[in-house]
Amino acid sequence: MAGVQLKNLEKVYGGTLKAVHGINLDITDGEFMVLVGPSGCAKSTTLRMVAGLEEITAGEIIIGDRRVNDLPPGKRSIAMVFQNYALYPHMKVRGNLAFGLKIAGCSRPEIDAAIADVARMLEIEPLLDRLPKQLSGGQAQRVALGRALIKKPGVFLFDEPLSNLDAKLRASMRVRITDLHRQLKAEGLSSTVIYVTHDQTEAMTMGDRICVMQAGRIMQAATPKELYNHPANLFVAGFIGSPEMNLVDGALEGGDFIVGSQKIAIGSDLERRLSEKPSDAIIGIRPQHFSLAGSEGPGLSARLANAEFMGHEVYLHTELEGRKLVCVVGAGEFEALGRSDIVRLRPDPTKLHVFNKIDGRNVSLRGGSIAA
Ligand code: ADP
Ligand code: MG
């Protein structure tokens, strides 16, 4: 059993720079937890404190049932995979894989069997007698993964492991890592993962749960679906989802959504879903939640600045009363529009979010007819 608990965890660098502000997070045994957030939000600092590579300023870290605050990295039952692979350059792949087990005093036959095992899992058998400099980025990262796997740790810690790979390789490594995680779990091996990335696509596709961080604080920790459908605040709303959610200054009044001099009826359902009625509201609309309205009927008129053709979808970059709005519409729907500089946009009222402008909280309640 190796869940990980962070309790009021704090990190202050150099006596003054507070990087982590007392965070609490409970990662269950076998869970794939992603820490995501922009550069500098203290993802690595948090991970390195779990690994024992960075001293803890205050709070507690529990791995399994042990408080590990004062344990050296080697005693924490963790294995870490870094962005730059961190392979020993003078050792062949085989030696890199064997290293940890040799230190731990395993016998030659045990080590050979373990190497054969992970080499098969990661399809690196043909690489065993190469030096790291003879490997491509993707191969080197698979070896680094193998070096973590072979230790059979309670917890895997990943710090942006795919950031040095090209887009295509990143996509295939995502699947490889989550497959491995499932496989370990199915075999009853402890397989808790804490995975750090700045990439929301990685977070969304890989995590059982995602912890969104900003400036050393946790903004929301939830499943990918929950974060997407019910972002707790403006930060999470803007960070999760692609293209980004549109966040529009506007007002809700008598069943109308008012933007500048335009308004569109959205019904009273949304207003009933508000936990409070902010005087200053920001309305969140995902680009996918617009449809194109005909010239008749309700719609907001926006100026079309640019259309990006993506295949079966088109990303429309528009301007509405001085606000920029991005909409994703079907290619067929876009073609049917003909050539026009003005598009009429209809937001799906059941999918709107309302945020309090002062503190950024999402004040639109779940339930009602909002997408589940
Ligand atoms: P992330 O991994 O999310 O990009 P980091 O954990 O690397 O963020 O950094 C969080 C904050 O702590 C940043 O402001 C960074 O400058 C600071 N920081 C990180 N490492 C050190 C260090 N060794 N000494 C001083 N400040 C640091
Ligand atoms: Mg980092």
Side-chain angles (χ1 to χ4, degrees), residues 10-48:
E10 275 187 29
K11 176 69 188 181
V12 180
Y13 282 113
T16 50
L17 181 92
K18 198 160 191 178
V20 177
H21 294 257
I23 61 174
N24 289 285
L25 190 62
D26 201 343
I27 303 160
T28 58
D29 183 38
E31 187 169 33
F32 198 118
M33 172 66 81
V34 177
L35 306 185
V36 72
S39 178
C41 73
K43 306 176 296 291
S44 295
T45 299
T46 304
L47 197 72
R48 290 169 63 81

mmCIF file of all heavy atoms in Angstrom, residues 10-48:
data_model
loop_
_atom_site.group_PDB
_atom_site.id
_atom_site.type_symbol
_atom_site.label_atom_id
_atom_site.label_comp_id
_atom_site.label_asym_id
_atom_site.label_seq_id
_atom_site.Cartn_x
_atom_site.Cartn_y
_atom_site.Cartn_z
ATOM 1 N N GLU A 10 4.606 23.031 2.909
ATOM 2 C CA GLU A 10 5.121 24.364 2.570
ATOM 3 C C GLU A 10 6.559 24.292 2.134
ATOM 4 O O GLU A 10 7.315 23.453 2.608
ATOM 5 C CB GLU A 10 5.068 25.276 3.815
ATOM 6 C CG GLU A 10 3.752 25.943 4.034
ATOM 7 C CD GLU A 10 3.814 26.946 5.179
ATOM 8 O OE1 GLU A 10 4.898 27.513 5.435
ATOM 9 O OE2 GLU A 10 2.765 27.132 5.805
ATOM 10 N N LYS A 11 6.920 25.201 1.227
ATOM 11 C CA LYS A 11 8.327 25.334 0.868
ATOM 12 C C LYS A 11 8.678 26.813 0.760
ATOM 13 O O LYS A 11 8.012 27.573 0.051
ATOM 14 C CB LYS A 11 8.600 24.654 -0.482
ATOM 15 C CG LYS A 11 10.021 24.825 -0.974
ATOM 16 C CD LYS A 11 11.004 24.048 -0.115
ATOM 17 C CE LYS A 11 12.440 24.355 -0.477
ATOM 18 N NZ LYS A 11 13.397 23.585 0.351
ATOM 19 N N VAL A 12 9.687 27.202 1.491
ATOM 20 C CA VAL A 12 10.222 28.555 1.382
ATOM 21 C C VAL A 12 11.669 28.417 0.929
ATOM 22 O O VAL A 12 12.446 27.686 1.529
ATOM 23 C CB VAL A 12 10.164 29.293 2.740
ATOM 24 C CG1 VAL A 12 10.738 30.701 2.602
ATOM 25 C CG2 VAL A 12 8.735 29.344 3.262
ATOM 26 N N TYR A 13 12.004 29.072 -0.181
ATOM 27 C CA TYR A 13 13.393 29.062 -0.660
ATOM 28 C C TYR A 13 14.134 30.254 -0.083
ATOM 29 O O TYR A 13 13.595 31.372 -0.081
ATOM 30 C CB TYR A 13 13.444 29.146 -2.190
ATOM 31 C CG TYR A 13 13.145 27.861 -2.913
ATOM 32 C CD1 TYR A 13 11.993 27.725 -3.681
ATOM 33 C CD2 TYR A 13 14.032 26.787 -2.855
ATOM 34 C CE1 TYR A 13 11.723 26.547 -4.376
ATOM 35 C CE2 TYR A 13 13.767 25.598 -3.539
ATOM 36 C CZ TYR A 13 12.619 25.498 -4.291
ATOM 37 O OH TYR A 13 12.358 24.335 -4.970
ATOM 38 N N GLY A 14 15.343 30.009 0.380
ATOM 39 C CA GLY A 14 16.228 31.093 0.812
ATOM 40 C C GLY A 14 15.637 31.990 1.877
ATOM 41 O O GLY A 14 15.969 33.172 1.945
ATOM 42 N N GLY A 15 14.738 31.448 2.684
ATOM 43 C CA GLY A 15 14.200 32.210 3.811
ATOM 44 C C GLY A 15 13.095 33.189 3.455
ATOM 45 O O GLY A 15 12.379 33.649 4.331
ATOM 46 N N THR A 16 12.930 33.514 2.170
ATOM 47 C CA THR A 16 11.932 34.541 1.836
ATOM 48 C C THR A 16 10.960 34.134 0.733
ATOM 49 O O THR A 16 9.797 34.522 0.761
ATOM 50 C CB THR A 16 12.609 35.852 1.377
ATOM 51 O OG1 THR A 16 13.570 35.520 0.388
ATOM 52 C CG2 THR A 16 13.289 36.559 2.541
ATOM 53 N N LEU A 17 11.421 33.366 -0.254
ATOM 54 C CA LEU A 17 10.545 33.071 -1.395
ATOM 55 C C LEU A 17 9.639 31.887 -1.079
ATOM 56 O O LEU A 17 10.083 30.743 -1.045
ATOM 57 C CB LEU A 17 11.370 32.763 -2.651
ATOM 58 C CG LEU A 17 10.477 32.477 -3.852
ATOM 59 C CD1 LEU A 17 10.195 33.733 -4.640
ATOM 60 C CD2 LEU A 17 11.054 31.393 -4.738
ATOM 61 N N LYS A 18 8.352 32.186 -0.833
ATOM 62 C CA LYS A 18 7.417 31.111 -0.523
ATOM 63 C C LYS A 18 6.941 30.494 -1.832
ATOM 64 O O LYS A 18 6.188 31.109 -2.573
ATOM 65 C CB LYS A 18 6.247 31.640 0.294
ATOM 66 C CG LYS A 18 5.489 30.541 1.006
ATOM 67 C CD LYS A 18 4.671 31.100 2.158
ATOM 68 C CE LYS A 18 4.134 29.999 3.033
ATOM 69 N NZ LYS A 18 3.385 30.520 4.177
ATOM 70 N N ALA A 19 7.402 29.269 -2.106
ATOM 71 C CA ALA A 19 7.063 28.620 -3.375
ATOM 72 C C ALA A 19 5.816 27.754 -3.231
ATOM 73 O O ALA A 19 5.007 27.666 -4.150
ATOM 74 C CB ALA A 19 8.237 27.779 -3.865
ATOM 75 N N VAL A 20 5.636 27.101 -2.078
ATOM 76 C CA VAL A 20 4.466 26.243 -1.858
ATOM 77 C C VAL A 20 3.763 26.719 -0.587
ATOM 78 O O VAL A 20 4.370 26.818 0.473
ATOM 79 C CB VAL A 20 4.884 24.757 -1.727
ATOM 80 C CG1 VAL A 20 3.669 23.880 -1.436
ATOM 81 C CG2 VAL A 20 5.589 24.274 -2.997
ATOM 82 N N HIS A 21 2.445 26.999 -0.729
ATOM 83 C CA HIS A 21 1.684 27.657 0.342
ATOM 84 C C HIS A 21 0.791 26.697 1.115
ATOM 85 O O HIS A 21 -0.437 26.779 0.998
ATOM 86 C CB HIS A 21 0.807 28.761 -0.249
ATOM 87 C CG HIS A 21 1.574 29.890 -0.838
ATOM 88 N ND1 HIS A 21 1.728 31.104 -0.211
ATOM 89 C CD2 HIS A 21 2.256 29.987 -2.007
ATOM 90 C CE1 HIS A 21 2.463 31.906 -0.962
ATOM 91 N NE2 HIS A 21 2.795 31.245 -2.066
ATOM 92 N N GLY A 22 1.351 25.734 1.800
ATOM 93 C CA GLY A 22 0.518 24.886 2.657
ATOM 94 C C GLY A 22 -0.526 24.109 1.877
ATOM 95 O O GLY A 22 -1.726 24.332 2.019
ATOM 96 N N ILE A 23 -0.086 23.170 1.036
ATOM 97 C CA ILE A 23 -1.059 22.423 0.226
ATOM 98 C C ILE A 23 -1.419 21.093 0.873
ATOM 99 O O ILE A 23 -0.620 20.485 1.587
ATOM 100 C CB ILE A 23 -0.574 22.193 -1.233
ATOM 101 C CG1 ILE A 23 0.711 21.385 -1.290
ATOM 102 C CG2 ILE A 23 -0.389 23.521 -1.956
ATOM 103 C CD1 ILE A 23 1.131 21.021 -2.699
ATOM 104 N N ASN A 24 -2.646 20.667 0.620
ATOM 105 C CA ASN A 24 -3.155 19.387 1.117
ATOM 106 C C ASN A 24 -3.647 18.563 -0.059
ATOM 107 O O ASN A 24 -4.427 19.052 -0.875
ATOM 108 C CB ASN A 24 -4.326 19.623 2.081
ATOM 109 C CG ASN A 24 -3.853 20.221 3.377
ATOM 110 O OD1 ASN A 24 -3.275 19.538 4.221
ATOM 111 N ND2 ASN A 24 -4.051 21.523 3.529
ATOM 112 N N LEU A 25 -3.174 17.327 -0.138
ATOM 113 C CA LEU A 25 -3.588 16.469 -1.247
ATOM 114 C C LEU A 25 -3.476 15.024 -0.788
ATOM 115 O O LEU A 25 -2.478 14.634 -0.179
ATOM 116 C CB LEU A 25 -2.671 16.716 -2.459
ATOM 117 C CG LEU A 25 -3.096 16.088 -3.781
ATOM 118 C CD1 LEU A 25 -4.444 16.635 -4.252
ATOM 119 C CD2 LEU A 25 -2.036 16.348 -4.860
ATOM 120 N N ASP A 26 -4.520 14.247 -1.101
ATOM 121 C CA ASP A 26 -4.557 12.855 -0.686
ATOM 122 C C ASP A 26 -4.594 11.989 -1.940
ATOM 123 O O ASP A 26 -5.593 11.968 -2.650
ATOM 124 C CB ASP A 26 -5.830 12.646 0.161
ATOM 125 C CG ASP A 26 -5.709 11.429 1.042
ATOM 126 O OD1 ASP A 26 -4.821 10.593 0.766
ATOM 127 O OD2 ASP A 26 -6.501 11.314 1.996
ATOM 128 N N ILE A 27 -3.489 11.330 -2.230
ATOM 129 C CA ILE A 27 -3.395 10.507 -3.442
ATOM 130 C C ILE A 27 -3.535 9.056 -3.015
ATOM 131 O O ILE A 27 -2.779 8.584 -2.168
ATOM 132 C CB ILE A 27 -2.038 10.749 -4.143
ATOM 133 C CG1 ILE A 27 -1.890 12.243 -4.471
ATOM 134 C CG2 ILE A 27 -1.909 9.887 -5.399
ATOM 135 C CD1 ILE A 27 -0.453 12.675 -4.707
ATOM 136 N N THR A 28 -4.510 8.361 -3.575
ATOM 137 C CA THR A 28 -4.778 7.011 -3.070
ATOM 138 C C THR A 28 -3.853 5.996 -3.737
ATOM 139 O O THR A 28 -3.286 6.248 -4.800
ATOM 140 C CB THR A 28 -6.248 6.595 -3.305
ATOM 141 O OG1 THR A 28 -6.509 6.669 -4.705
ATOM 142 C CG2 THR A 28 -7.206 7.514 -2.569
ATOM 143 N N ASP A 29 -3.723 4.848 -3.096
ATOM 144 C CA ASP A 29 -2.872 3.782 -3.601
ATOM 145 C C ASP A 29 -3.326 3.384 -5.009
ATOM 146 O O ASP A 29 -4.501 3.115 -5.228
ATOM 147 C CB ASP A 29 -2.985 2.579 -2.655
ATOM 148 C CG ASP A 29 -2.063 1.454 -3.077
ATOM 149 O OD1 ASP A 29 -0.944 1.731 -3.521
ATOM 150 O OD2 ASP A 29 -2.490 0.281 -2.967
ATOM 151 N N GLY A 30 -2.416 3.391 -5.969
ATOM 152 C CA GLY A 30 -2.736 2.975 -7.330
ATOM 153 C C GLY A 30 -3.279 4.091 -8.200
ATOM 154 O O GLY A 30 -3.542 3.891 -9.388
ATOM 155 N N GLU A 31 -3.427 5.269 -7.638
ATOM 156 C CA GLU A 31 -3.992 6.386 -8.409
ATOM 157 C C GLU A 31 -2.943 7.025 -9.321
ATOM 158 O O GLU A 31 -1.765 7.089 -8.976
ATOM 159 C CB GLU A 31 -4.539 7.447 -7.440
ATOM 160 C CG GLU A 31 -5.302 8.565 -8.134
ATOM 161 C CD GLU A 31 -6.066 9.456 -7.150
ATOM 162 O OE1 GLU A 31 -5.592 9.667 -6.022
ATOM 163 O OE2 GLU A 31 -7.142 9.930 -7.523
ATOM 164 N N PHE A 32 -3.382 7.491 -10.479
ATOM 165 C CA PHE A 32 -2.525 8.257 -11.400
ATOM 166 C C PHE A 32 -2.914 9.724 -11.216
ATOM 167 O O PHE A 32 -3.934 10.171 -11.724
ATOM 168 C CB PHE A 32 -2.760 7.809 -12.842
ATOM 169 C CG PHE A 32 -1.666 8.207 -13.806
ATOM 170 C CD1 PHE A 32 -0.936 7.230 -14.483
ATOM 171 C CD2 PHE A 32 -1.356 9.542 -14.044
ATOM 172 C CE1 PHE A 32 0.082 7.579 -15.372
ATOM 173 C CE2 PHE A 32 -0.345 9.905 -14.922
ATOM 174 C CZ PHE A 32 0.381 8.909 -15.590
ATOM 175 N N MET A 33 -2.081 10.448 -10.451
ATOM 176 C CA MET A 33 -2.394 11.849 -10.140
ATOM 177 C C MET A 33 -1.494 12.759 -10.965
ATOM 178 O O MET A 33 -0.278 12.585 -10.972
ATOM 179 C CB MET A 33 -2.160 12.109 -8.656
ATOM 180 C CG MET A 33 -2.272 13.562 -8.238
ATOM 181 S SD MET A 33 -3.937 14.267 -8.400
ATOM 182 C CE MET A 33 -4.690 13.666 -6.888
ATOM 183 N N VAL A 34 -2.088 13.695 -11.663
ATOM 184 C CA VAL A 34 -1.303 14.653 -12.446
ATOM 185 C C VAL A 34 -1.274 15.998 -11.723
ATOM 186 O O VAL A 34 -2.320 16.488 -11.292
ATOM 187 C CB VAL A 34 -1.911 14.837 -13.855
ATOM 188 C CG1 VAL A 34 -1.128 15.893 -14.634
ATOM 189 C CG2 VAL A 34 -1.912 13.523 -14.618
ATOM 190 N N LEU A 35 -0.093 16.560 -11.572
ATOM 191 C CA LEU A 35 0.019 17.951 -11.116
ATOM 192 C C LEU A 35 0.244 18.809 -12.344
ATOM 193 O O LEU A 35 1.222 18.610 -13.063
ATOM 194 C CB LEU A 35 1.209 18.147 -10.160
ATOM 195 C CG LEU A 35 1.325 17.262 -8.919
ATOM 196 C CD1 LEU A 35 2.517 17.710 -8.065
ATOM 197 C CD2 LEU A 35 0.055 17.299 -8.098
ATOM 198 N N VAL A 36 -0.662 19.736 -12.596
ATOM 199 C CA VAL A 36 -0.546 20.548 -13.803
ATOM 200 C C VAL A 36 -0.682 22.027 -13.448
ATOM 201 O O VAL A 36 -1.354 22.385 -12.481
ATOM 202 C CB VAL A 36 -1.607 20.121 -14.862
ATOM 203 C CG1 VAL A 36 -3.004 20.545 -14.438
ATOM 204 C CG2 VAL A 36 -1.280 20.685 -16.241
ATOM 205 N N GLY A 37 -0.007 22.854 -14.227
ATOM 206 C CA GLY A 37 -0.087 24.294 -14.000
ATOM 207 C C GLY A 37 1.012 24.953 -14.812
ATOM 208 O O GLY A 37 1.889 24.270 -15.341
ATOM 209 N N PRO A 38 0.958 26.277 -14.914
ATOM 210 C CA PRO A 38 1.955 26.978 -15.724
ATOM 211 C C PRO A 38 3.344 26.893 -15.102
ATOM 212 O O PRO A 38 3.480 26.561 -13.920
ATOM 213 C CB PRO A 38 1.453 28.422 -15.736
ATOM 214 C CG PRO A 38 0.539 28.535 -14.571
ATOM 215 C CD PRO A 38 -0.025 27.190 -14.303
ATOM 216 N N SER A 39 4.341 27.195 -15.884
ATOM 217 C CA SER A 39 5.717 27.173 -15.424
ATOM 218 C C SER A 39 5.867 28.059 -14.187
ATOM 219 O O SER A 39 5.307 29.155 -14.125
ATOM 220 C CB SER A 39 6.597 27.677 -16.564
ATOM 221 O OG SER A 39 7.921 27.702 -16.139
ATOM 222 N N GLY A 40 6.564 27.547 -13.187
ATOM 223 C CA GLY A 40 6.823 28.341 -11.985
ATOM 224 C C GLY A 40 5.775 28.204 -10.887
ATOM 225 O O GLY A 40 5.887 28.831 -9.837
ATOM 226 N N CYS A 41 4.750 27.361 -11.081
ATOM 227 C CA CYS A 41 3.684 27.247 -10.073
ATOM 228 C C CYS A 41 4.052 26.283 -8.948
ATOM 229 O O CYS A 41 3.261 26.043 -8.049
ATOM 230 C CB CYS A 41 2.363 26.842 -10.719
ATOM 231 S SG CYS A 41 2.317 25.126 -11.254
ATOM 232 N N ALA A 42 5.265 25.709 -9.030
ATOM 233 C CA ALA A 42 5.819 24.847 -7.962
ATOM 234 C C ALA A 42 5.460 23.368 -8.080
ATOM 235 O O ALA A 42 5.458 22.647 -7.087
ATOM 236 C CB ALA A 42 5.458 25.375 -6.574
ATOM 237 N N LYS A 43 5.231 22.910 -9.292
ATOM 238 C CA LYS A 43 5.003 21.480 -9.514
ATOM 239 C C LYS A 43 6.261 20.680 -9.170
ATOM 240 O O LYS A 43 6.205 19.706 -8.427
ATOM 241 C CB LYS A 43 4.633 21.211 -10.987
ATOM 242 C CG LYS A 43 3.465 22.021 -11.504
ATOM 243 C CD LYS A 43 3.211 21.768 -12.985
ATOM 244 C CE LYS A 43 4.320 22.179 -13.927
ATOM 245 N NZ LYS A 43 4.515 23.656 -14.030
ATOM 246 N N SER A 44 7.400 21.098 -9.736
ATOM 247 C CA SER A 44 8.646 20.367 -9.502
ATOM 248 C C SER A 44 9.045 20.425 -8.036
ATOM 249 O O SER A 44 9.472 19.422 -7.469
ATOM 250 C CB SER A 44 9.783 20.932 -10.352
ATOM 251 O OG SER A 44 9.511 20.731 -11.713
ATOM 252 N N THR A 45 8.888 21.589 -7.429
ATOM 253 C CA THR A 45 9.236 21.731 -6.011
ATOM 254 C C THR A 45 8.434 20.726 -5.187
ATOM 255 O O THR A 45 8.974 20.029 -4.326
ATOM 256 C CB THR A 45 8.947 23.170 -5.533
ATOM 257 O OG1 THR A 45 9.754 24.067 -6.303
ATOM 258 C CG2 THR A 45 9.242 23.340 -4.070
ATOM 259 N N THR A 46 7.137 20.637 -5.461
ATOM 260 C CA THR A 46 6.279 19.708 -4.728
ATOM 261 C C THR A 46 6.735 18.268 -4.941
ATOM 262 O O THR A 46 6.894 17.496 -3.987
ATOM 263 C CB THR A 46 4.811 19.881 -5.189
ATOM 264 O OG1 THR A 46 4.436 21.249 -5.009
ATOM 265 C CG2 THR A 46 3.870 18.995 -4.416
ATOM 266 N N LEU A 47 6.990 17.916 -6.205
ATOM 267 C CA LEU A 47 7.405 16.546 -6.518
ATOM 268 C C LEU A 47 8.748 16.216 -5.859
ATOM 269 O O LEU A 47 8.944 15.121 -5.332
ATOM 270 C CB LEU A 47 7.518 16.396 -8.040
ATOM 271 C CG LEU A 47 7.531 14.963 -8.555
ATOM 272 C CD1 LEU A 47 6.148 14.347 -8.418
ATOM 273 C CD2 LEU A 47 7.968 14.907 -10.010
ATOM 274 N N ARG A 48 9.656 17.189 -5.902
ATOM 275 C CA ARG A 48 10.992 16.955 -5.340
ATOM 276 C C ARG A 48 10.943 16.822 -3.817
ATOM 277 O O ARG A 48 11.758 16.114 -3.229
ATOM 278 C CB ARG A 48 11.951 18.072 -5.777
ATOM 279 C CG ARG A 48 12.274 17.996 -7.285
ATOM 280 C CD ARG A 48 12.990 19.241 -7.765
ATOM 281 N NE ARG A 48 14.283 19.390 -7.102
ATOM 282 C CZ ARG A 48 15.401 18.750 -7.456
ATOM 283 N NH1 ARG A 48 15.379 17.936 -8.490
ATOM 284 N NH2 ARG A 48 16.522 18.922 -6.788
#
